[in-house]
Amino acid sequence: MPVVVTARSAQALQAQAARLGAMLEADADAAPTVADVASIVADVGQALASARAVFSHRAVVVARDRAALARGLAAIAAGNVATLADSGALAAGPADAPKTTPPRIAYGVASEPDRAVFVFPGEGAQWAGMGAELLAGSPVFAAHMAACGAALAPFIDWELVTVVRAGAADPAWNRLDVVQPVLWATMVSLAAVWRSLGVEPAAVIGHTQGEIAAATVAGALTLGDAARVVTVRSRQIQRLAQLDQISDIRDAVVAELAAIRPRPAAIAFYSTVGGAGATPGAVTDTTALDGAYWYRNLSEPAVLPQVVAALAAAGQHHYVELSPHPLLTEMVEQALGEARGSGAIVGSLRRGDGSLDQLLRSVGEAFVHGVAVDWAAAFAGRPRDPRVTLPSYPFQRRRYWLSAVAGAVDIGAAGLEPGQHPLLGAAVWLADGGGLLLTGRLGLDATPWLADHAVRGELLVPGTALVELALAAARRVGAARVVDDLTIQAPMIVPRIGEIQIQVMVGAGDESGRRSVEIYWSVDGAAWTQSASGVLGSEASDGEWLAVWPPAGAEPVDLSGAYAALLARGLGYGPAFQGLRRAWRLGDDVYADVSLPESVPAAGYGLHPALSDAVLHALVIAGLAGDGVQVPFSFTGVTLHATASPSQLRAKLTRRGEAIALALADDTGAPVATVASLVLRPVR
């Protein structure tokens, strides 16, 4: 199956391939059967083909199983695609590595989108057994070969499909009057496969016998008329050994082809027959492709290079050879010369390799150079698996604004105080009796780890980040790093380009020291959305030590395929949020080890949101969360015991009715944070 990856830049293409590879790795043990392993490639390929825009930097991996796809994606991610694109397949791995069919890779930067010219060669491209694999692997190819066989049947004493399947074992391959009709049928059927994938030719040209296939594909000859032409032509060529020169067969060719009725072509047909009066590059009136024309096709020189040069001068730079082996690509390339530019010059199959894999790679080669391809058609009739959620696009952002020198901006001159938190830029005490307003901006430039938290394709600020904002506010107002409760009313959505503004509003304290807290967000200061509200407390709860680790008697939880399972639910976690390392169950309690990647700095946070969010993943994996997509709805009794965010956590999760209690500790077992009650709600 083809897996198509495109991006706006080479760096983004590599990053996208890496994300897809990580998704496959997370799902490594989720498909135990051969059918499932194969379907994963199809699921990913189908999702990419039907749901993603197409950009200029392109790669196509044709793979039969997950291991082959993973190897191809790894090569693209590592930037090794140039060598792979030349060879068409990855080199074999270590001798003790699991055996897998290697992927075939096409890679390139597309020029302006354009259609290709279909080129059909004469005799010489054939080989015994050509088309046999496609008969089994491509229903489109098989159907058109059957139609060609039916058209040939009145003129031959052999059967097309039988000869093709027999290959070299059938002595008929030694007969010219067999080889040429088989070659015609193969080329016509290859064209049908290309067209079934949305590759419609801008024009067709053929070289000697190849003109019969070109006229068939253009619609100038019916299958029946084309079958008559190719069989008559091949039989008359056999007679030449007993004749003085070629003119002796003219009358026979014209007479035997008197019954054909050439028609106006639906696709531009450019004759390559030379001789007096020939004008290479002029569209041919295909109603003149009668018996006399096909005699000229035999007797006069072919001028294919001149036709290609004329087409190139008119701006046509993409060419696809429809044959079982490339025979004309070098001739076409030489004819194009400097006019080739970044155009595609590709074949279809290769001698000894007539597989669908090879054909799809050839289609991929055309696509990566700019030829339009309908990849979704490769999955026609196959229901798409709605559980497949693709990684988000890896935007390669560039900052166009000048960066201010540290300390150069004096926010104090504006009556503000520093925010004292990575997510908050400034603070100001209000004149209404002790209230505080904290402000900041969130975006993927300053906080790129937010790109790794997607819910059903949307980038959402995790609920743990809203708790972290509330805890930051509690520290500023002397509420002892305590949040009595926080309820999330609406998600905070991160744009893929640009930033959102956030405000954390803290009310004046009451007699007990408790304060209200409200969190808002807005795009460009337009309408403000309240994301969460709650109460900051003043009395901290006691933390729980988790010194004995893991607890005696705890049973390990299998985490293989954990993030693939979460992805299937619609929870797309990138590397920054894939922190769940180990988990155990003991009665109604779940224990987990989580860690923060080195690429995500924890400095300045009370408890980094990506780290605390990873704790919640154990709820789903261990079966403590409900079905579907569940996200935090309310937190009660949150106390932060540590003064700075660790990079690793031990976590204890306990079911209490509909809620979950959390105890978090560092790698020594010392308390870091406590949540008396966490309630999840399904995403609507």
Side-chain angles (χ1 to χ4, degrees):
M1 288 291 180
V3 174
V4 180
V5 187
T6 73
R8 294 183 182 273
S9 67
Q11 295 81 3
L13 184 70
Q14 291 178 243
Q16 185 73 332
R19 290 188 176 190
L20 288 167
M23 182 184 76
L24 284 181
E25 183 178 358
D27 193 34
D29 298 317
T33 68
V34 173
D36 288 338
V37 168
S39 72
I40 288 172
V41 178
D43 289 339
V44 174
Q46 186 174 22
L48 287 166
S50 59
R52 286 293 165 91
V54 175
F55 301 112
S56 58
H57 289 260
R58 303 176 179 181
V60 179
V61 181
V62 181
R64 290 174 176 257
D65 54 49
R66 178 176 47 211
L69 176 57
R71 293 171 66 192
L73 291 172
I76 297 169
N80 295 333
V81 287
T83 301
L84 293 170
D86 290 339
S87 65
L90 284 168
D96 59 348
K99 301 304 179 185
T100 180
T101 303
R104 300 165 191 256
I105 300 178
Y107 170 81
V109 181
S111 59
E112 289 297 317
D114 198 1
R115 291 189 294 168
V117 173
F118 280 7
V119 184
F120 300 86
E123 189 176 353
Q126 73 276 1
W127 47 276
M130 61 183 181
E133 287 187 78
L134 281 179
L135 282 174
S138 170
V140 173
F141 183 85
H144 280 77
M145 285 291 281
C148 289
L152 287 168
F155 309 107
I156 58 178
D157 59 359
W158 46 275
E159 202 274 327
L160 174 66
V161 172
T162 300
V163 169
V164 170
R165 285 180 173 150
D170 193 327
W173 280 101
N174 298 319
R175 293 169 47 185
L176 182 69
D177 64 331
V178 172
V179 168
Q180 289 199 355
V182 173
L183 184 57
W184 163 78
T186 300
M187 294 191 294
V188 168
S189 300
L190 283 173
V193 178
W194 280 83
R195 296 179 77 178
S196 74
L197 294 171
V199 184
E200 287 294 335
V204 295
I205 53 178
H207 187 263
T208 62
Q209 178 205 330
E211 282 207 312
I212 307 172
T216 309
V217 173
L221 295 179
T222 64
L223 279 182
D225 281 353
R228 183 186 295 271
V229 172
V230 74
T231 52
V232 167
R233 187 182 189 279
S234 61
R235 285 200 305 269
Q236 292 301 328
I237 290 176
Q238 285 183 308
R239 291 183 56 212
L240 288 177
Q242 288 80 40
L243 300 174
D244 295 333
Q245 16 155 297
I246 197 167
S247 61
D248 292 343
I249 66 171
R250 182 186 186 283
D251 290 345
V253 170
V254 172
E256 288 193 61
L257 296 182
I260 68 171
R261 296 292 181 266
R263 307 176 299 182
I267 300 168
F269 176 96
Y270 291 87
S271 173
T272 61
V273 174
T279 308
V283 178
T284 302
D285 175 8
T286 54
T287 61
L289 302 186
D290 55 9
Y293 177 85
W294 294 111
Y295 168 73
R296 291 177 54 219
N297 171 273
L298 269 170
S299 61
E300 296 181 1
V303 291
L304 185 139
Q306 294 91 317
V307 173
V308 171
L311 290 174
Q316 183 63 58
H317 300 139
H318 296 317
Y319 296 82
V320 174
E321 182 173 340
L322 283 298
S323 69
H325 183 77
L327 200 64
L328 299 177
T329 52
E330 184 175 352
M331 181 186 295
V332 170
E333 188 169 358
Q334 291 176 350
L336 287 174
E338 294 182 358
R340 175 184 177 179
S342 58
I345 304 175
V346 301
S348 294
L349 304 178
R350 290 189 171 274
R351 196 176 308 280
D353 188 354
S355 64
L356 182 60
D357 297 21
Q358 173 59 32
L359 181 56
L360 288 173
R361 180 188 181 261
S362 297
V363 177
E365 281 289 330
F367 169 74
V368 300
H369 285 90
V371 175
V373 176
D374 178 14
W375 288 110
F379 306 93
R382 182 183 187 276
R384 181 181 173 189
D385 189 339
R387 298 172 298 173
V388 177
T389 303
L390 298 172
S392 58
Y393 182 86
F395 290 94
Q396 307 295 298
R397 294 172 178 80
R398 290 182 292 172
R399 189 175 183 86
Y400 292 96
W401 296 100
L402 293 175
S403 297
V405 178
V409 178
D410 181 12
I411 62 173
L416 305 174
E417 297 179 5
Q420 300 179 4
H421 191 277
L423 303 181
L424 297 168
V428 61
W429 289 96
L430 304 178
D432 63 352
L436 177 70
L437 175 64
L438 296 151
T439 66
R441 301 182 73 88
L442 294 183
L444 301 186
D445 282 332
T447 48
W449 49 269
L450 287 173
D452 289 343
H453 186 270
V455 177
R456 291 182 177 170
E458 291 278 8
L459 299 185
L460 303 186
V461 175
T464 53
L466 301 180
V467 174
E468 173 66 12
L469 289 172
L471 286 170
R475 291 196 297 273
R476 290 297 296 268
V477 298
R481 300 192 301 277
V482 175
V483 176
D484 278 355
D485 66 75
L486 188 73
T487 301
I488 300 173
Q489 287 105 344
M492 188 178 286
I493 302 173
V494 183
R496 298 184 186 275
I497 298 177
E499 298 175 315
I500 60 173
Q501 296 174 257
I502 60 171
Q503 291 186 358
V504 181
M505 300 176 63
V506 182
D510 61 16
E511 294 179 356
S512 64
R514 301 169 79 239
R515 295 172 178 260
S516 64
V517 62
E518 298 174 341
I519 302 175
Y520 295 83
W521 67 281
S522 170
V523 178
D524 296 329
W528 287 88
T529 299
Q530 184 171 2
S531 193
S533 63
V535 176
L536 306 181
S538 59
E539 295 185 8
S541 63
D542 294 331
E544 182 175 354
W545 281 78
L546 301 176
V548 179
W549 199 255
E555 295 291 332
V557 175
D558 183 11
L559 296 184
S560 58
Y563 283 98
L566 293 171
L567 185 63
R569 288 182 172 230
L571 298 169
Y573 294 120
F577 280 79
Q578 293 184 8
L580 182 60
R581 299 291 175 256
R582 296 185 299 170
W584 302 265
R585 288 204 68 159
L586 181 60
D588 292 333
D589 295 339
V590 174
Y591 298 84
D593 273 341
V594 298
S595 62
L596 197 63
E598 292 182 1
S599 59
V600 182
Y605 291 90
L607 185 58
H608 196 286
L611 186 64
S612 51
D613 190 83
V615 171
L616 307 186
H617 305 170
L619 293 174
V620 179
I621 303 305
L624 292 185
D627 296 331
V629 179
Q630 300 271 341
V631 295
F633 170 68
S634 67
F635 295 82
T636 303
V638 181
T639 299
L640 185 62
H641 307 289
T643 57
S645 178
S647 59
Q648 297 181 0
L649 284 178
R650 295 176 179 178
K652 176 183 177 183
L653 304 93
T654 303
R655 165 73 72 179
R656 291 180 177 171
E658 293 185 354
I660 306 292
L662 306 178
L664 308 180
D666 63 20
D667 55 4
T668 70
V672 170
T674 302
V675 179
S677 173
L678 164 64
V679 176
L680 304 177
R681 288 287 186 269
V683 174
R684 301 299 182 187

